[in-house]
Amino acid sequence: MEYRTLPNSELELMMILWKAARPLTRTEIEEHLPKKRQLSKTTVLSFLSRLEEKGFVRVEKEGRSNRYIPLVKEEDYLQQESSSILKRLYGSSVKKFVAALYDGENISEDQIAELKDYLDSL
C-alpha cells in the first residue's frame, strides 16, 4: 500500500504514537511533545483529524476521551519515504546518498563501519 507523505507536524504526532506502541489520548500525545514545541489543543486535534482522514489513525471513543490508534506501521511508512527520497534526490543511487552524507561530514567512522557490516551481512 502506498501512503501520502506527511507534513512534519503530522509526522511528529505519528512518531509519538509509534513510539508509545499503544493508543494515546490527545492529552497524552501533547505530554510527549518537546517542551519547546507545545501546540494548542485545537492544533493537535486538527492534526489528528487530518491523520484520521488520510487513514493513518483510527479514533476510538473511550468515555469522554478519544484514543488514537496507528493504522500504518512505522516500518512501512519509513520504507516508503526512504525509497521516495532516494529516487527523487539521488536518482535511486545509494552511492550518491552515502557520498552526500560523507561529503557533508554527517557520517562518522563508526557509522561507516556499521554500514560496511550491514552490507557484508546482505
Side-chain angles (χ1 to χ4, degrees):
M1 181 173 191
E2 196 157 315
Y3 308 105
R4 292 171 58 183
T5 297
L6 294 174
N8 288 341
S9 52
E10 293 171 21
L11 180 58
E12 183 176 26
L13 298 188
M14 283 304 299
M15 293 180 85
I16 290 169
L17 288 166
W18 286 325
K19 187 174 182 181
R22 66 177 178 85
L24 297 176
T25 64
R26 175 201 44 86
T27 304
E28 291 171 324
I29 291 169
E30 288 173 357
E31 290 169 359
H32 287 87
L33 287 169
K35 294 291 181 217
K36 62 179 173 33
R37 176 85 167 111
Q38 292 305 306
L39 303 171
S40 73
K41 172 185 173 180
T42 54
T43 300
V44 173
L45 287 171
S46 177
F47 291 155
L48 289 168
S49 177
R50 287 186 212 155
L51 287 168
E52 182 183 18
E53 289 170 10
K54 294 174 183 177
F56 277 81
V57 298
R58 181 177 78 235
V59 182
E60 285 187 1
K61 190 82 169 156
E62 187 178 283
R64 295 178 58 151
S65 298
N66 287 330
R67 291 220 172 261
Y68 297 88
I69 302 144
L71 296 176
V72 174
K73 292 181 184 174
E74 180 180 19
E75 302 81 29
D76 293 342
Y77 183 77
L78 293 178
Q79 185 177 35
Q80 176 185 300
E81 281 299 289
S82 298
S83 179
S84 174
I85 288 169
L86 190 63
K87 284 178 193 168
R88 285 182 296 131
L89 299 179
Y90 300 97
S92 296
S93 171
V94 174
K95 180 181 175 184
K96 287 180 184 178
F97 173 71
V98 173
L101 288 174
Y102 185 74
D103 292 344
E105 299 178 13
N106 292 323
I107 190 167
S108 69
E109 293 298 322
D110 288 341
Q111 290 169 321
I112 291 170
E114 181 182 21
L115 181 58
K116 283 180 185 176
D117 290 343
Y118 177 72
L119 292 173
D120 289 343
S121 73
L122 295 177

